[in-house]
Amino acid sequence: MAVNKSIVAIVFIVAGVLSVICGAVFLFVGPAIMTEQIIKNTVIDPKNEMSYTMWKDVPVPFFMSVYFFHILNPKEILSGEKPMVEQRGPYVYRKRIQKDNITFHPNFTVSYKEYRQYHFEPSMSVGNESDVVMIPNMLVLGAAVMLEKLPYPIRLLISATFKTFKEGPFLNKTVEELMWGYESGLVDFLNKYLPGMLPTSGKFGLFSEFNNSNTGLFTINTGKDDIRNVHKVDSWNGLTELSYWRTPECNAINGTAGQMWPPFMTRESTLPFYSPDACRSMELVYQRDGVMNGIPLYRFVAPKTLFANGSDYAPNEGFCPCRQSGLLNVSSCRHDSPCFISHPHFYNADPVLLDYVQGLHPNEDEHGLFIDIHPLTGVPLNVSIRLQLNLYMKRVSGITETGQISEVVMPMIWFEESGYIDGPILKTFHTNLVILPTVMEFMQYGFIVLGLATVVIAALLLRREKRNKRDGGASSSTSAGEKDPLLQDDMD
């Protein structure tokens, strides 16, 4: 039985049209399906296994790398010369983060406390915790600045107290002691007779408050009522604003808790977050596009105005009293201790700060902070938060331990908290958010291209078939109605 080519061509045309329609439907419905799935999976809900696990236990590798500014010329500093420092480290600690006391509330919020533990990683460190380094003694030089307005006789008495407990202007101790605390007769004395003056009642160390501690009671939005609010802080320790600073704008608790952000980001988006350790909210801005293991990302960095003083950036006036741009005065939330936060090596700070200390070499690659975000989901892929702790020190008459120290903001340590998605989480992330959307996009346009190609080819075949039939009919008519000219000549 002969196949009717015209019918076959028409069938292919119909199939091609259906394929185009199917592709067009995918083109409009596909993004909506993806959006719905992203919303469903980024809401804070125990039913969302992957995203909830990432939020609750942060299963990805996370590290804190600490660098000390070892003092090279302590005697010269006491005689008024410029400090010389040498960077030591990194001393790397694996950071374990886990949320506890998780409580969901009817108003689409969830409360929790986040606990953190640090474990030294010798294989990743340059040196051991037994290394001895020299840094300024905050108990002496910090207290001297805090107490400089007291009557002169009292300052003499304070200086005598330092001598009694053998506390000098500089500490020469191991990394472990400086990090997690050391026994101090002065600390015991102050806690006994002036309770509340120091942040710790035990050993005194730069990070003694950090290990086996929590960052306070956070209450954040789950995003169930509005995905644009997911992870945003509703309150911290029951507060909706702080009291450390001078303006409502600076006291505002903005953004998220600093681990995830709402999905569907654009290049105009910013990354606001509240940091209890910095005692304020901060905001990062878009810098560039990037790719990590095939996953598209946006890189967000700190703007130059982040730690600018009120003269250079008016909205920061509330964080003052200020010194040079590039320094955040955190004395108001650190028991009035003259401490300042900055970028490492005074990166992005007033160049005059570099003139006061020898041995600093700022550059963006090593000292700039950044967060790489998957813009579609708001999930960080790679994070590096770098901050430096500085002590303001100077000569205070009556406190002989300060010698002839010149007025200087002295870098003590800088640290980097870093983490990145890796292992099974990365594989799942890549499959769900890169491969599947790519397959869906390929299907959308694949159906349309295949359908259009099928329609065009089938239409050409149908036209050819009709022409062949027309030409065949014409040939038959010629044979039946006309005689061959050669045959006609023979007859003649």
Side-chain angles (χ1 to χ4, degrees), residues 69 71 83 135-146 168-171 204 206 323 327-328 330-331 334 336-342 346 353 356-357 388-394 402 405-413:
F69 290 105
I71 295 174
I135 63 172
N137 188 345
M138 290 181 65
L139 290 174
V140 172
L141 298 181
V145 173
M146 293 167 62
F170 304 107
L171 292 173
F204 185 80
L206 297 174
R323 297 190 64 80
L327 297 172
L328 173 66
V330 292
S331 59
R334 288 288 180 268
D336 293 325
S337 177
C339 293
F340 291 82
I341 288 176
S342 68
F346 294 133
L353 293 171
Y356 294 152
V357 181
Q388 179 171 298
L389 179 64
N390 311 279
L391 181 69
Y392 171 60
M393 59 188 202
K394 65 177 183 177
T402 61
I405 292 177
S406 298
E407 185 176 341
V408 63
V409 178
M410 183 73 178
M412 297 172 59
I413 63 167

Side-chain angles (χ1 to χ4, degrees), residues 204-238:
F204 185 80
L206 297 174
F207 286 83
S208 57
E209 293 182 70
F210 280 47
N211 209 7
N212 299 310
S213 66
N214 66 76
T215 55
L217 180 65
F218 272 95
T219 301
I220 65 173
N221 287 276
T222 64
K224 281 190 175 182
D225 60 331
D226 188 345
I227 198 62
R228 292 173 297 181
N229 292 328
V230 68
H231 298 293
K232 289 186 177 179
V233 178
D234 182 72
S235 66
W236 175 72
N237 284 339

Side-chain angles (χ1 to χ4, degrees), residues 232-353:
K232 289 186 177 179
V233 178
D234 182 72
S235 66
W236 175 72
N237 284 339
L239 303 172
T240 56
E241 62 180 12
L242 305 171
S243 57
Y244 303 130
W245 313 109
R246 296 168 50 197
T247 63
E249 183 179 6
C250 293
N251 277 318
I253 298 177
N254 295 323
T256 73
Q259 292 176 347
M260 294 184 185
W261 281 265
F264 313 120
M265 290 186 169
T266 68
R267 294 173 182 85
E268 286 70 41
S269 299
T270 59
L271 291 191
F273 63 97
Y274 171 65
S275 170
D277 296 326
C279 308
R280 59 166 287 189
S281 296
M282 295 188 279
E283 190 170 38
L284 308 188
V285 296
Y286 169 85
Q287 184 191 52
R288 61 174 174 82
D289 285 27
V291 176
M292 174 180 165
N293 294 315
I295 304 173
L297 58 84
Y298 289 168
R299 170 159 291 189
F300 289 83
V301 299
K304 289 186 176 181
T305 57
L306 183 64
F307 295 141
N309 62 23
S311 300
D312 291 342
Y313 185 62
N316 282 354
E317 181 64 35
F319 294 120
C320 293
C322 299
R323 297 190 64 80
Q324 295 89 349
S325 274
L327 297 172
L328 173 66
N329 187 343
V330 292
S331 59
S332 59
C333 68
R334 288 288 180 268
H335 300 267
D336 293 325
S337 177
C339 293
F340 291 82
I341 288 176
S342 68
H343 294 300
H345 287 247
F346 294 133
Y347 169 71
N348 263 353
D350 190 324
V352 73
L353 293 171

Side-chain angles (χ1 to χ4, degrees), residues 139-164 167 394-403:
L139 290 174
V140 172
L141 298 181
V145 173
M146 293 167 62
L147 306 174
E148 68 172 327
K149 295 187 183 301
L150 292 178
Y152 186 78
I154 295 180
R155 278 180 269 148
L156 288 175
L157 180 62
I158 291 170
S159 182
T161 303
F162 290 151
K163 291 177 176 62
T164 301
E167 293 282 353
K394 65 177 183 177
R395 175 184 177 273
V396 176
S397 63
I399 301 180
T400 59
E401 284 75 12
T402 61

